[in-house]
Amino acid sequence: MTVLKLAGRLALLHRGITALLGLLVLSVTLLGGALPRVFEDSYERSLRQAVQETRPELLEIAVDAQSVSPGHRPENAAALAARVDALRGALPPALSSLVGEVKYGVSTNRLRLAGHVGHEPRANNYVDLAWNSGAVRRVRYVEGTPPSGVTSGPNPLTERSTPNPYQDPALTIALAKPTITTVEVGLPSDAPELMGLAVGDTIVSAAGLLIKVTGLYEPVDPADPFWSVFPSMAGVYVPDPAANRASFVVTALGSEQVVAALAPLRERMHYRWGFAAVPGAFTIEAAPDAGPALDNFTAAARRMSTPGMPYKVTSHLPKMMDDFLGKLETTQTLMGVLLAGLFAVAFGVVALVAGLLLGRVAASLVAARARAASLGQFAAVGAAVLLLAVVPGALLGFALARLVPGLDTPISLLSAPLLALATVLYGMGRLLLTHRRPLVEQRDDLVARPFTPRRLVADLLVVFLAAVATYIAVTRGVTTAQTASGSDPLLVAAPTAVAVAVALVVLWGYPYLLRLLSFGAARSRRSVLFLAVASAARSRTAATLPALILVPALTLSVYSALTLDSLDAGQRAAAWQRTGADAQVGVGEGVIAPAAIEKVRALPGVREVLPVELREGRLSGGTLSFSYLRMDTAAYAKRLGPAPSVVSSPVAAVNRAAGAANGPSAPVLVTGGLGKARSRPIVLGGAERAPVVVDHVGHLDRFPGTDQLGELLVLPTSVLPEQKVAMRPNRLLVFGAGLRAADLERAVGPAASASTREGDLAAIVSTPLTRTITLAFRLSAVVLALYSLLAVWVSVVAGAAERDRSISFLSTMGMSSGQARAITLGEISPLVVTAAVTGIALGTLFPSLFGGGVNLSGYAGGLPVGYTVTWTTPLALGAGVTLAALLGAVAHVALSGRRKVGVALRGGE
């Protein structure tokens, strides 16, 4: 009989266990093939989202050149385009694949408007005469016509037509010129209102050029990234709105002939070539090369510079990529930690089921071994049985994993063959070690086999490596120690190694625990208790491998559950921090009218409305600008209710400072570097307000409802009441239930922008990396708990034959079925309870051991996430697994029934 035919018959004979092993291998290969694909796909999608959410002007690779004198400037638009080709050719491949459209052009640097034909010139008006290759198709003229060109001719200016009340020397020179150049331009549509410039007007620039306004334009699509890169082209720019005499700067767009007209001027010119990023072109594989590639491009551009036009390359692309890669490395390391634990536990369960199958197969082949069958033949049959069980499950699991949308990784491609190979090698090794001598006498009445020196050395090595990995992980952090090729494998495996090492320690002490229980059971009047402990002591298959599975499984499951709880709390706190209330609505730099506030109060679900003033201020007589926030912080504290401490603590600190006020200055708390504001007058939101003297009395990391970046000064109305300085609210904090952003925006007005806390929370948890990490922890907690249950049930089945023999004999002495179930529970309870208690205790310690080195702030809106260990989740998880395991064991005894004593006797007893 061939080996395969014999293996087929044996697999059919033990078809239940064979099918269980096949299903288990299928589940493991499905997880091993699908999860890495899903994770890798989420990494790519997260990178593209990060690129899309980054402002276009930060991603653009800009080449700027300042020219102060003619001689080396591009003479026309064609010369500018030629330099585009040269710069694109210098881009390294790692960058050229990431960029698309190139927008190039030239502009002056704030030419003063010296005269206005037919009008008296306004002071502090400036113009940037410009041409840009990307602006032509992105503007729509709402009045007049587009500019047609540049002309030179007799000077039409006269002292009568162009008054010069300030005796501007530039206008005086322009009036004296016999001929003059006229440039036709288009202006933004808000230029007439802010600067008094209309279609048909002619103005005189300080450079001696006449600028004729032929039309007014608006952006075709205000959301186009172009206007984010060139915001000054979309409207009049006011550099310092709070200044007593505000300046106005307008960009005048001309035709491409402007390039030639500006080339000979002795004015500072700004040339720019901008390479726009293409979000869909970014990949994880190319991300690490972006920084070095930009350095190489910067060096190449510097070599292309001329003495009169040095090139300067700027881009935040490398920083964005570095920030994302840091977050990605954290995610990949956490994925590695979870997958290492998941696969270790899963392989342990596979090995347990494979050992059960081989035990049944070996019992069928032991006679053949006694009749001089070679050890190789014996092992070949066992390996063939394992192959018949493992290969179909591995192939089907691999095929199902391919159906899951995602990207291939080495782990997803190799998980199926590696699992099948490891299972077969484990089975063959077990057979070779166990049956190297035929019919070896095996004692079933030993409490615990003594540890061999080889076993002791192996266990000590595992414990030593786990201790070293734990020390490094605690001192350096699991997610901060990265090798050149990625995560450190030793640190990734550290949590699993610690759990396995603790399980080995539990196994060392398990025989002594049984002896202690036996000592107590021997003095008990109930024989069932003694028989249960004796059965546990004699059991060989229900100790070593199940304990090595149960402890890591429960440990990592509890750790995953605790991490999920902490992450959820951090995400909710971040949503509170962003919104500051149940909802928030603002109007930018405008003012919310009292009627609009009453409309908001009348909306369904609104309980309270708190007006807030959040504007730009500055130090009186200085240039330091910052944001200040005025609100009734005492009322705010009462309305916060069960808000997280990250929200309530800053508010309480502000109220304490306000309550301690005893001087003429207003006590304030600040963020960032505003400590210099101590006892300094500040100007609130414009020149119409008198300066307010403030005293910096404390520092805040952040204040709810505001951007944590930048400088912020918090002014409670209790120390600066409205009677002293009128409040101009531009934001409302709304408290209530069922609030909708659209309703709030309609109530306040067309310029309003609203957000809700639930909406901010949804935005935080919906990012690809956050969804991935949440799925990984949730799946890990559930799957590991299921694997631990399966390990207990398999161990119960493995000892069923020996247990049935004992129960069959004891039944002749009047043992009831209830007592049989009690013996079964007593047999497996020491192992399950010990492993459960160890797993729960170790799982709750993991946040203290490894939590400090795991930065979860990237998945909680940037807010630091602190681990808060609660016993509810660990105890519920441990109790659930223990109860389910014990109930499964009882159910197995009830379903299998009792073995007849006659059957036992015919079996050789």
Side-chain angles (χ1 to χ4, degrees):
M1 186 179 292
T2 63
V3 171
L4 286 179
K5 186 178 295 186
L6 178 58
R9 290 186 177 183
L10 290 174
L12 185 61
L13 177 63
H14 305 290
R15 53 187 172 272
I17 303 176
T18 303
L20 176 61
L21 180 59
L23 289 175
L24 189 59
V25 170
L26 186 151
S27 68
V28 177
T29 53
L30 177 59
L31 290 175
L35 287 181
R37 286 172 56 85
V38 173
F39 294 161
E40 191 69 21
D41 182 64
S42 71
Y43 301 156
E44 296 287 350
R45 289 187 290 108
S46 183
L47 174 59
R48 290 192 292 269
Q49 181 176 352
V51 173
Q52 292 171 351
E53 291 178 351
T54 304
R55 298 200 306 270
E57 68 272 19
L58 298 180
L59 287 179
E60 185 181 62
I61 302 174
V63 182
D64 296 280
Q66 298 284 346
S67 175
V68 297
S69 61
H72 298 279
R73 297 172 178 171
E75 297 179 353
N76 48 46
L80 279 177
R83 300 203 181 188
V84 170
D85 297 334
L87 290 170
R88 186 181 285 276
L91 280 173
L95 289 182
S96 61
S97 61
L98 303 180
V99 298
E101 180 186 6
V102 183
K103 298 177 286 292
Y104 55 95
V106 60
S107 68
T108 59
N109 187 27
R110 294 194 185 181
L111 295 177
R112 183 168 41 82
L113 295 185
H116 189 174
V117 176
H119 303 273
E120 185 174 318
R122 294 188 182 184
N124 299 329
N125 277 7
Y126 298 87
V127 64
D128 282 334
L129 192 57
W131 175 80
N132 190 285
S133 63
V136 177
R137 67 177 187 276
R138 290 181 169 90
V139 298
R140 175 181 60 250
Y141 280 83
V142 295
E143 185 179 346
T145 60
S148 58
V150 178
T151 58
S152 295
N155 190 349
L157 301 178
T158 63
E159 294 184 359
R160 185 179 184 86
S161 66
T162 311
N164 190 7
Y166 307 111
Q167 299 301 310
D168 192 311
L171 180 57
T172 302
I173 295 174
L175 289 172
K177 287 184 177 181
T179 60
I180 200 167
T181 300
T182 302
V183 180
E184 294 185 356
V185 299
L187 300 181
S189 58
D190 59 349
E193 177 183 358
L194 296 178
M195 301 183 66
L197 302 176
V199 174
D201 285 2
T202 300
I203 52 181
V204 184
S205 71
L209 295 176
L210 293 186
I211 301 175
K212 183 177 181 180
V213 181
T214 64
L216 301 177
Y217 65 82
E218 290 180 348
V220 174
D221 179 13
D224 192 312
F226 176 86
W227 302 110
S228 176
V229 179
F230 300 99
S232 61
M233 292 186 183
V236 176
Y237 170 58
V238 184
D240 187 4
N244 292 331
R245 299 180 64 188
S247 300
F248 297 91
V249 183
V250 65
T251 297
L253 285 178
S255 64
E256 63 179 19
Q257 297 178 21
V258 169
V259 180
L262 296 179
L265 297 183
R266 294 187 175 276
E267 299 286 341
R268 182 181 295 273
M269 300 295 167
H270 178 205
Y271 294 87
R272 179 186 177 91
W273 295 264
F275 296 82
V278 180
F282 285 76
T283 62
I284 297 294
E285 184 180 359
D289 300 329
L294 185 67
D295 293 339
N296 294 336
F297 178 63
T298 301
R302 190 178 295 115
R303 290 192 295 268
M304 297 170 61
S305 302
T306 60
M309 283 186 61
Y311 288 161
K312 180 182 179 181
V313 179
T314 58
S315 178
H316 284 74
L317 177 62
K319 183 180 184 304
M320 188 279 296
M321 298 293 273
D322 289 343
D323 293 342
F324 173 80
L325 289 175
K327 185 177 177 181
L328 177 64
E329 287 174 350
T330 299
T331 305
Q332 289 176 328
T333 304
L334 289 175
M335 294 301 100
V337 170
L338 295 178
L339 289 178
L342 189 62
F343 289 158
V345 171
F347 180 72
V349 179
V350 170
L352 185 62
V353 178
L356 176 60
L357 177 60
L358 290 177
R360 302 291 174 84
V361 171
S364 303
L365 294 177
V366 69
R369 179 75 173 120
R371 295 189 184 98
S374 68
L375 186 59
Q377 292 174 325
F378 194 82
V381 174
V385 173
L386 287 180
L387 284 174
L388 291 176
V390 169
V391 171
L395 292 177
L396 184 57
F398 181 78
L400 292 176
R402 303 294 298 173
L403 299 178
V404 177
L407 301 176
D408 287 327
T409 66
I411 296 178
S412 67
L413 295 175
L414 296 177
S415 59
L418 287 180
L419 177 63
L421 180 62
T423 304
V424 173
L425 291 178
Y426 167 79
M428 292 183 64
R430 176 169 176 157
L431 286 175
L432 292 174
L433 290 176
T434 306
H435 298 279
R436 58 184 180 272
R437 287 182 296 171
L439 297 178
V440 176
E441 179 185 6
Q442 297 185 2
R443 299 282 304 276
D444 292 339
D445 57 345
L446 296 177
V447 173
R449 288 172 293 178
F451 291 104
T452 63
R454 186 178 301 173
R455 165 77 181 277
L456 186 61
V457 170
D459 289 354
L460 290 176
L461 179 61
V462 172
V463 173
F464 173 75
L465 291 177
V468 172
T470 303
Y471 174 78
I472 298 176
V474 170
T475 55
R476 296 166 56 191
V478 176
T479 60
T480 56
Q482 304 287 335
T483 64
S485 59
S487 304
D488 190 334
L490 180 64
L491 299 184
V492 168
T496 304
V498 170
V500 173
V502 172
L504 291 175
V505 175
V506 170
L507 284 176
W508 291 345
Y510 185 61
Y512 302 101
L513 173 63
L514 292 179
R515 290 178 184 177
L516 181 63
L517 293 177
S518 299
F519 180 79
R523 285 155 180 77
S524 174
R525 294 183 178 181
R526 301 185 61 183
S527 60
V528 172
L529 181 59
F530 176 79
L531 292 172
V533 176
S535 298
R538 289 197 307 267
S539 177
R540 293 188 301 272
T541 58
T544 304
L545 195 53
L548 291 176
I549 296 171
L550 277 173
V551 174
L554 288 175
T555 298
L556 295 175
S557 183
V558 169
Y559 174 60
S560 298
L562 290 176
T563 303
L564 279 175
D565 290 344
S566 301
L567 185 58
D568 179 72
Q571 290 168 344
R572 294 185 181 278
W576 264 105
Q577 168 63 31
R578 286 188 180 183
T579 311
D582 295 318
Q584 181 185 114
V585 58
V587 293
E589 295 300 321
V591 179
I592 301 178
I597 298 177
E598 293 304 320
K599 287 183 180 180
V600 172
R601 286 196 173 101
L603 290 175
V606 175
R607 293 194 309 270
E608 298 285 348
V609 178
L610 187 64
V612 175
E613 182 178 0
L614 181 62
R615 299 183 185 277
E616 293 296 318
R618 59 181 174 85
L619 289 178
S620 179
T623 59
L624 177 63
S625 61
F626 51 85
S627 298
Y628 70 89
L629 182 143
R630 287 187 68 199
M631 65 185 302
D632 188 348
T633 54
Y636 185 38
K638 296 177 181 178
R639 294 166 183 169
L640 283 177
S645 60
V646 71
V647 175
S648 57
S649 296
V651 180
V654 172
N655 288 329
R656 286 195 299 269
N662 56 5
S665 59
V668 297
L669 275 77
V670 300
T671 66
L674 272 180
K676 299 177 181 179
R678 180 184 296 274
S679 300
R680 289 285 301 275
I682 63 170
V683 177
L684 304 181
E688 70 277 6
R689 296 183 178 184
V692 177
V693 179
V694 299
D695 187 14
H696 163 226
V697 296
H699 186 273
L700 296 172
D701 291 331
R702 56 179 60 83
F703 195 83
T706 62
D707 188 354
Q708 68 184 68
L709 301 177
E711 315 288 351
L712 176 70
L713 185 146
V714 183
L715 271 170
T717 54
S718 59
V719 298
L720 188 63
E722 291 195 51
Q723 293 80 1
K724 185 175 181 181
V725 177
M727 191 169 175
R728 301 168 58 216
N730 61 340
R731 185 173 298 195
L732 301 177
L733 297 181
V734 185
F735 297 86
L739 304 177
R740 297 193 305 173
D743 295 339
L744 295 171
E745 291 173 352
R746 282 194 297 268
V748 174
S753 175
S755 63
T756 64
R757 182 159 52 88
E758 294 300 326
D760 286 340
L761 178 61
I764 291 173
V765 302
S766 63
T767 60
L769 283 185
T770 302
R771 288 201 305 266
T772 298
I773 202 72
T774 303
L775 171 66
F777 277 112
R778 185 174 292 119
L779 192 63
S780 175
V782 174
V783 172
L784 288 172
L786 292 178
Y787 278 152
S788 63
L789 285 177
L790 187 58
V792 175
W793 293 339
V794 171
S795 66
V796 172
V797 174
E802 182 181 347
R803 190 182 310 110
D804 285 348
R805 286 194 299 269
S806 300
I807 292 175
S808 297
F809 285 117
L810 292 172
S811 65
T812 62
M813 293 180 283
M815 187 186 68
S816 64
S817 59
Q819 290 174 324
R821 289 192 293 270
I823 290 176
T824 303
L825 284 177
E827 177 184 341
I828 68 171
S829 293
L831 175 67
V832 174
V833 173
T834 302
V837 172
T838 306
I840 292 173
L842 188 59
T844 54
L845 286 176
F846 265 28
S848 300
L849 287 175
F850 304 110
V854 178
N855 183 10
L856 298 176
S857 62
Y859 318 107
L863 202 67
V865 177
Y867 282 89
T868 54
V869 177
T870 59
W871 289 100
T872 304
T873 299
L875 290 178
L877 186 60
V881 170
T882 303
L883 183 60
L886 297 179
L887 290 178
V890 172
H892 176 267
V893 174
L895 292 175
S896 63
R898 293 185 300 177
R899 190 179 182 189
K900 301 295 185 181
V901 66
V903 176
L905 291 175
R906 285 195 300 270
E909 299 290 343

